[in-house]
Amino acid sequence: MKNFPKIKEINITPIAIVDPPLLNAAGLHAPYALRIIVELITDDNITGISEIPGTTDIEIALHECKNLIIGQDPFQTNKISDILIAHFGIDKMAERGLFPWDSRKLVHIFSAIEVACLDIVGKVINKPVVDLLGGKRRESVPFAAYLFYKYEGAGGKLAFETDPNAVGWAAARQKSALNPAEIVAQAQAMCKEFGFKSIKLKGGVFEPRQEVDAIFALREAFGENVPLRIDPNALWTVETSIKYGLEMEGIIEYLEDPCRGQDNMAAVRKALKTPLATNMCTTSFEDIPRSIQVGSEDIILSDHHFWGGLRASMTLTGVCQTFGRHLSMHSNSHLGISLAAMVHLGAAIPNFHYALDTHYPWQSDEVIKQGRFKFEDGAVAVPEGPGLGVELDKNALAKLHQNYLDCGITKRDDLIEIRKVIPDWEFKQTRW
């Protein structure tokens, strides 16, 4: 009988990637976003890779995993999951936090280990990860343009400077966008560069009237055939959500997390014909029963980093089908390893109705040998080759790790950055 590979080594490398000064409900993006690159190496020298959001706490926890995971069979992800749960316990819903991003620990750790294991398995059997998820339902996966209100600058050491020689999207990526006209210009440049066929606006930054006006300006500029969506990141009251939701009916394809909590979302959902989407009120399997009971959303925006991996996300698709929900995907500032995993998952999920989110156009760094992914008509083709279909660029990894060492950032904190611009700014769970 064939001896299957065992994990002999785990490399954990925190990196910092250039991130522009994008505004959101929690404040302002720092000049660098943190990611962690995980490499699992087997005793026959097959390497599996993954990428997750980075914090010092998650990095420390991943190092704790070494003694737990070394010697395990990467095919046995159920056993690996049981080992990790026995050591770390299970994340509590409250640990997600109030911010737009997810602060839980175990889901990040398991997604990092699982994706790297699936990359190994794919390489061993010479199959792409999508085949390990049941096979391709589509050859390419569509994404939406992801617009942000932003200050001038492109991130990194030049956070508030611009390159006067930049043109096209490179120039638009550096310009400020603080009003509807500038948001339209940003959308036009991004859609021209990447071919996106639908558009999302990150809201929760200015008072609702201004953000809704931006949606109407986008509708006027792009016409009826380009679906629009807006995400106030749960900062609106129920009353505000209904008021502006009614105003945007027939204009937006969905309204994402207008208010906070399943009960409030359910109240808004009953008042509107427009579907509601979430990556804030229903974010774990523990949340599902209450979600179904009260009817808090129509679309769950999954994220394999936050739901515990790719297979857990496939389980979620079954739950969504059973209870009449649609599934799309949330995004965070990420590079090509995460994008590759998202595309494999996006190619496998059934009933694909809504283009996925991605921050990828806002990033300029990359950590894979293939270079930056190409978008064709707003979509990314499923990577060819076994596993994830991408390989780690060790030189790029070293450079981005040095960025991490130099920048001094240890976790995401958008409050620190916004107070450099507006000293008395405070985060509010509900603002309007």
Side-chain angles (χ1 to χ4, degrees):
M1 187 173 71
K2 180 178 178 180
N3 291 322
F4 286 96
K6 297 294 190 294
I7 298 167
K8 73 170 183 179
E9 184 179 346
I10 303 176
N11 296 327
I12 300 158
T13 309
I15 62 173
I17 61 177
V18 168
D19 208 23
L22 307 178
L23 288 154
N24 65 88
L28 179 66
H29 284 209
Y32 293 94
L34 303 185
R35 307 294 284 177
I36 297 174
I37 305 300
V38 175
E39 302 168 80
L40 302 184
I41 304 170
T42 68
D43 50 13
D44 52 0
N45 293 316
I46 297 173
T47 299
I49 58 176
S50 64
E51 169 197 345
I52 59 171
T55 69
T56 299
D57 287 346
I58 292 176
E59 182 191 352
I60 290 170
L62 281 167
H63 281 285
E64 286 183 45
C65 291
K66 286 186 174 182
N67 290 335
L68 303 173
I69 302 304
I70 287 176
Q72 296 300 321
D73 180 347
F75 281 73
Q76 303 301 319
T77 53
N78 288 338
K79 180 180 179 182
I80 290 172
S81 174
D82 292 343
I83 291 170
L84 293 175
I85 290 171
H87 181 78
F88 291 105
I90 297 176
D91 292 314
K92 302 293 190 298
M93 286 189 294
E95 292 172 352
R96 186 208 174 277
L98 298 173
F99 298 117
W101 57 90
D102 198 311
S103 298
R104 291 174 295 164
K105 184 165 62 176
L106 181 61
V107 287
H108 286 86
I109 293 167
F110 186 67
S111 71
I113 300 300
E114 185 230 36
V115 170
C117 284
L118 293 178
D119 192 26
I120 290 171
V121 171
K123 291 171 180 175
V124 170
I125 66 173
N126 197 32
K127 289 285 188 178
V129 163
V130 66
D131 284 2
L132 307 179
L133 304 177
K136 281 191 287 189
R137 286 186 161 102
R138 54 200 62 85
E139 295 295 326
S140 62
V141 176
F143 289 85
Y146 203 161
L147 310 182
F148 279 83
Y149 291 101
K150 72 181 292 291
Y151 293 129
E152 186 174 293
K157 295 178 181 178
L158 303 177
F160 295 97
E161 298 178 16
T162 58
D163 177 1
N165 298 315
V167 296
W169 170 241
R173 184 177 169 273
Q174 299 178 90
K175 292 178 182 177
S176 64
L178 300 171
N179 60 57
E182 290 175 330
I183 287 294
V184 168
Q186 182 187 104
Q188 290 170 331
M190 186 184 283
C191 289
K192 182 178 179 180
E193 178 74 16
F194 298 94
F196 294 122
K197 306 300 183 186
S198 58
I199 295 172
K200 171 177 172 175
L201 174 63
K202 174 65 77 176
V205 175
F206 297 117
E207 56 88 21
R209 177 74 270 156
Q210 179 174 340
E211 297 183 352
V212 172
D213 284 348
I215 289 293
F216 279 93
L218 288 166
R219 177 63 176 268
E220 182 176 355
F222 285 87
E224 297 181 359
N225 294 327
V226 176
L228 304 175
R229 56 187 82 157
I230 183 172
D231 174 17
N233 269 146
L235 287 199
W236 294 356
T237 64
V238 169
E239 293 74 20
T240 298
S241 302
I242 293 172
K243 174 185 175 181
Y244 288 104
L246 288 170
E247 191 173 322
M248 291 185 289
E249 283 195 335
I251 302 298
I252 55 174
E253 64 172 345
Y254 68 68
L255 177 58
E256 179 182 342
D257 285 312
C259 52
R260 191 171 297 276
Q262 290 181 329
D263 289 334
N264 287 335
M265 287 279 286
V268 175
R269 186 171 178 246
K270 289 176 183 176
L272 302 181
K273 297 176 183 177
T274 301
L276 297 192
T278 188
N279 75 292
M280 295 185 71
C281 80
T282 301
T283 60
S284 70
F285 290 101
E286 188 179 355
D287 293 326
I288 296 290
R290 179 68 177 165
S291 163
I292 303 306
Q293 180 184 3
V294 301
S296 53
E297 74 282 315
D298 303 276
I299 306 152
I300 294 178
L301 302 176
S302 177
D303 186 320
H304 71 274
H305 308 93
F306 301 160
W307 282 83
L310 298 176
R311 284 177 169 155
S313 297
M314 288 301 295
T315 299
L316 180 61
T317 68
V319 172
C320 287
Q321 283 186 299
T322 300
F323 292 103
R325 299 290 191 266
H326 291 292
L327 184 102
S328 190
M329 280 189 219
H330 164 265
S331 170
N332 47 65
S333 302
H334 63 88
L335 297 181
I337 302 173
S338 280
L339 183 60
M342 291 173 69
V343 171
H344 282 281
L345 177 59
I349 62 176
N351 299 324
F352 195 109
H353 291 276
Y354 300 100
L356 311 184
D357 291 348
T358 181
H359 286 63
Y360 197 69
W362 292 107
Q363 276 36 89
S364 56
D365 293 316
E366 191 48 279
V367 75
I368 57 175
K369 288 182 179 179
Q370 290 84 348
R372 289 184 58 77
F373 271 91
K374 305 296 183 186
F375 289 73
E376 297 287 343
D377 293 327
V380 176
V382 179
E384 296 181 357
L388 290 174
V390 297
E391 296 293 334
L392 191 60
D393 182 333
K394 290 299 186 71
N395 290 330
L397 181 69
K399 174 178 175 279
L400 296 176
H401 178 59
Q402 190 61 50
N403 280 355
Y404 171 79
L405 297 175
D406 293 341
C407 76
I409 300 172
T410 59
K411 66 176 182 178
R412 181 174 175 180
D413 190 338
D414 291 18
L415 181 62
I416 289 175
E417 293 302 316
I418 192 67
R419 283 182 173 171
K420 293 176 182 177
V421 184
I422 307 172
D424 61 349
W425 195 92
E426 294 286 349
F427 171 74
K428 295 181 180 179
Q429 292 185 43
T430 302
R431 193 175 289 274
W432 290 285

